[in-house]
């Protein structure tokens, strides 16, 4: 009987010990599971923030470190090759080996990337905006947000292992943009054309009366001495031909791959840049036209030129279909693609070799800024042919 009592007590003690151990095990497992889930969630958030910080350019207003009371961090989205920050601006990450256009442009002070930094303050006080009251908020601050398209299409040319090439800018002004290109494109032979550094005097005499903006650049004389800054009218085909033949089309010159129009922002000048320089660009090179915003000076380029060249881009000349006239027959055989973002478009060359057109062929045609002069652009043209 005593033996049975001892055995019963021993079993009871063993059971209690087992129950205690099981309970402790459950507690430990629960704590571990909670810690793991919490760490995982925190890890995802931290990785997300690190990625967003790597995409967002330095000193750009952002809610990553100090979330805005009105915009949550979760509103930041990422995908593809870039990230949209809490202020609604999309930034493109440089690919491996590429330089950052945003960081380069921010350092030189060009207006090509200033819009994202100026928009938050502009929205707080609309009267402080350059263009107050614009329905599209991105249009309100001074400057642009060109770094996205430049990083995508010009980024490969910023690598150290890129073959040498020629680059041309129309519109040096004070050189902030040109300095950006010189630093961003280390293997580029960079040229620029500026009218303000011609002889001072009445415009009626072919001179310039409004001051030499270009000489404000600290390397102004250096660029002249290097034969990289060319003083003349960037819309005059005779002067353009002179620059091309005397300074750029040299036996030892690298191929022309990039042309940027950032000159007077006048529609006729912008169109003339395309007609003169696009055929001279080597295969798969690009021509960029900036400042295609809805202003009176540039409106015809946006509303008349672009619709015509876009139509030609999709031209087939199928004899089984309705007759379709080309609007720009000198550009069509060389055009591969057109890529536009807000106020800027890029025209890409196809694989057809560059061409030397005559000066007459290089001039802007009568229909360039008047699409009513291109038959296939006439209202009702297709409907009439179909009857």
């Amino acid at each position: 009987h005593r033996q049975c009592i001892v055995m019963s007590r021993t079993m009871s003690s063993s059971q209690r010990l087992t129950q205690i151990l099981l309970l402790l095990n459950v507690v430990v497992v629960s704590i571990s599971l909670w810690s793991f889930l919490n760490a995982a969630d925190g890890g995802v958030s931290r990785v997300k923030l690190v990625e967003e910080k790597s995409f967002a350019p330095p000193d750009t207003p952002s809610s990553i470190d100090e979330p805005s009371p009105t915009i949550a961090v979760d509103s930041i989205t990422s995908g593809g090759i870039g990230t949209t920050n809490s202020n609604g601006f999309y930034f493109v990450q440089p690919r491996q080996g590429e330089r950052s256009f945003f960081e380069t442009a921010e350092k030189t002070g060009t207006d090509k990337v200033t819009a994202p930094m100026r928009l938050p303050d502009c929205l707080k006080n609309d009267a402080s905006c350059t263009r107050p009251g614009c329905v599209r908020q991105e249009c309100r601050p001074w400057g642009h947000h060109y770094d996205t398209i430049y990083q995508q299409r010009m980024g490969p040319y910023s690598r150290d292992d890129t073959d040498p090439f020629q680059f041309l800018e129309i519109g040096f002004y004070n050189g902030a943009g040109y300095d950006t290109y010189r630093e961003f494109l280390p293997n580029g032979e960079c040229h620029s054309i500026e009218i303000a550094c011609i002889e001072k005097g009445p415009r009626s005499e072919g001179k310039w009366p409004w001051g030499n903006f270009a000489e404000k650049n600290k390397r102004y004389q250096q660029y002249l001495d290097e034969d990289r800054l060319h003083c003349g009218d960037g819309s005059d085909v005779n002067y353009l031909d002179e620059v091309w033949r005397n300074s750029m089309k040299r036996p030892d010159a690298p191929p022309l791959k990039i042309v940027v129009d950032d000159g007077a922002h006048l529609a006729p000048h912008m169109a003339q840049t395309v007609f003169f320089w696009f055929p001279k660009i080597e295969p798969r090179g690009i021509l960029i036209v900036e400042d295609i915003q809805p202003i009176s000076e540039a409106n015809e380029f946006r509303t008349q030129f672009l619709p015509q060249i876009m139509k030609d881009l999709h031209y087939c000349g199928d004899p089984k279909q309705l007759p379709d006239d080309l609007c720009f027959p000198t550009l069509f055989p060389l055009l591969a693609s057109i890529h536009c973002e807000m106020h800027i478009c890029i025209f890409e060359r196809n694989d057809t070799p560059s061409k030397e057109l005559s000066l007459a062929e290089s001039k802007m045609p009568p229909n360039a800024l008047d699409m009513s002069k291109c038959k296939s652009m006439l209202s009702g043209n297709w409907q009439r042919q179909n009857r």
Side-chain angles (χ1 to χ4, degrees):
H1 179 69
R2 290 178 179 174
Q3 185 177 3
C4 290
I5 292 176
V6 171
M7 290 179 61
S8 175
R9 288 177 178 175
T10 302
M11 290 178 60
S12 297
S13 299
S14 299
Q15 289 175 345
R16 283 195 295 273
L17 180 60
T18 300
Q19 291 173 347
I20 292 172
L21 291 174
L22 287 173
L23 181 61
L24 289 173
N25 188 51
V26 170
V27 170
V28 170
V29 170
S30 298
I31 293 174
S32 299
L33 181 60
W34 178 87
S35 299
F36 172 79
L37 292 175
N38 185 62
D41 180 63
V44 171
S45 299
R46 283 192 292 273
V47 170
K48 187 176 180 183
L49 290 176
V50 167
E51 289 179 342
E52 286 156 358
K53 285 183 178 181
S54 67
F55 283 115
D59 301 325
T60 300
S62 171
S63 64
I64 293 176
D65 295 315
E66 297 179 6
S68 166
T70 57
I71 303 178
V73 173
D74 290 340
S75 69
I76 301 177
T77 59
S78 62
I81 57 175
T83 290
T84 301
N85 74 0
S86 60
N87 293 314
F89 282 97
Y90 186 76
F91 292 97
V92 173
Q93 182 185 37
R95 286 156 288 199
Q96 185 174 4
E98 294 181 356
R99 287 165 169 77
S100 167
F101 187 85
F102 184 95
E103 292 178 1
T104 305
E106 186 182 32
K107 182 167 58 177
T108 59
T110 176
D111 67 348
K112 299 181 190 298
V113 302
T114 54
M117 295 175 287
R118 292 175 178 266
L119 181 61
D121 289 337
C122 172
L123 295 180
K124 293 176 184 177
N125 179 15
D126 194 54
S128 68
C129 301
T130 303
R131 304 175 188 86
C134 284
V135 173
R136 188 171 187 172
Q137 294 181 348
E138 297 96 319
C139 295
R140 297 183 188 181
W142 177 75
H144 307 282
H145 192 39
Y146 292 158
D147 55 288
T148 53
I149 196 169
Y150 273 125
Q151 194 67 57
Q152 292 178 68
R153 304 309 299 270
M154 203 184 287
Y157 292 96
S158 72
R159 297 172 55 91
D160 289 331
D161 57 1
T162 299
D163 291 335
F165 62 94
Q166 278 189 328
F167 165 95
L168 172 66
E169 172 195 51
I170 308 296
F172 181 88
Y173 190 53
N174 61 14
Y178 181 76
D179 287 341
T180 302
Y181 298 128
R182 289 266 295 214
E183 183 171 340
F184 186 66
L185 305 171
N187 292 332
E189 179 186 296
C190 297
H191 294 260
S192 187
I193 294 175
E194 174 56 50
I195 192 173
C197 53
I198 64 175
E199 183 182 356
K200 184 178 180 180
R203 194 71 192 99
S204 59
E205 298 179 7
K207 301 175 183 178
W208 187 256
W210 296 291
N212 186 352
F213 315 125
E215 67 180 356
K216 295 179 181 179
N217 189 286
K218 62 182 180 181
R219 286 181 286 271
Y220 170 68
Q221 191 59 49
Q222 172 192 331
Y223 296 155
L224 288 174
D225 295 340
E226 293 174 345
D227 195 29
R228 296 294 181 262
L229 175 59
H230 312 284
C231 299
D233 187 346
S235 66
D236 181 351
V237 294
N238 293 296
Y239 176 71
L240 296 180
D241 187 62
E242 180 183 323
V243 172
W244 170 245
R245 297 188 182 283
N246 295 339
S247 299
M248 297 181 68
K249 191 186 176 184
R250 311 182 315 273
D252 63 336
L256 176 63
K257 299 292 284 189
I258 305 174
V259 173
V260 176
D261 184 284
D262 185 22
H265 313 329
L266 299 174
H269 293 198
M270 298 156 82
Q272 186 57 74
T273 291
V274 181
F275 283 101
F276 184 88
W277 290 107
F278 193 68
K280 293 175 173 55
I281 298 174
E282 294 298 322
R284 295 298 160 180
I286 56 177
L287 186 146
I288 304 170
V289 179
E290 297 184 356
D291 297 281
I292 313 176
Q293 56 259 43
I295 56 177
S296 58
E297 297 86 352
N299 257 344
E300 289 178 332
F301 187 88
R302 181 176 61 96
T303 62
Q304 302 295 313
F305 176 86
L306 282 180
Q308 294 184 77
I309 196 169
M310 185 63 74
K311 184 197 75 68
D312 283 1
L313 174 66
H314 301 287
Y315 174 87
C316 286
D318 188 344
K320 297 179 181 179
Q321 297 296 321
L322 296 172
D324 182 9
D325 295 333
L326 284 169
C327 294
F328 303 140
T330 61
L331 301 181
F332 159 74
L334 309 170
L335 184 63
S337 71
I338 302 171
H339 177 66
C340 297
E341 293 187 9
M342 190 177 77
H343 304 162
I344 184 172
C345 284
I346 291 183
F347 305 90
E348 181 187 15
R349 284 278 281 104
N350 60 18
D351 296 315
T352 303
S354 59
K355 290 186 175 181
E356 284 289 333
L357 303 181
S358 67
L359 286 184
E361 293 174 312
S362 299
K363 290 182 179 180
M364 178 180 67
N367 65 302
L369 300 176
D370 184 358
M371 63 182 179
S372 68
K373 294 180 179 178
C374 180
K375 182 180 178 180
S376 57
M377 297 296 291
L378 293 175
S379 177
N381 178 64
W382 297 103
Q383 290 85 345
R384 286 196 297 271
Q385 292 186 38
N386 199 33
R387 290 173 183 170

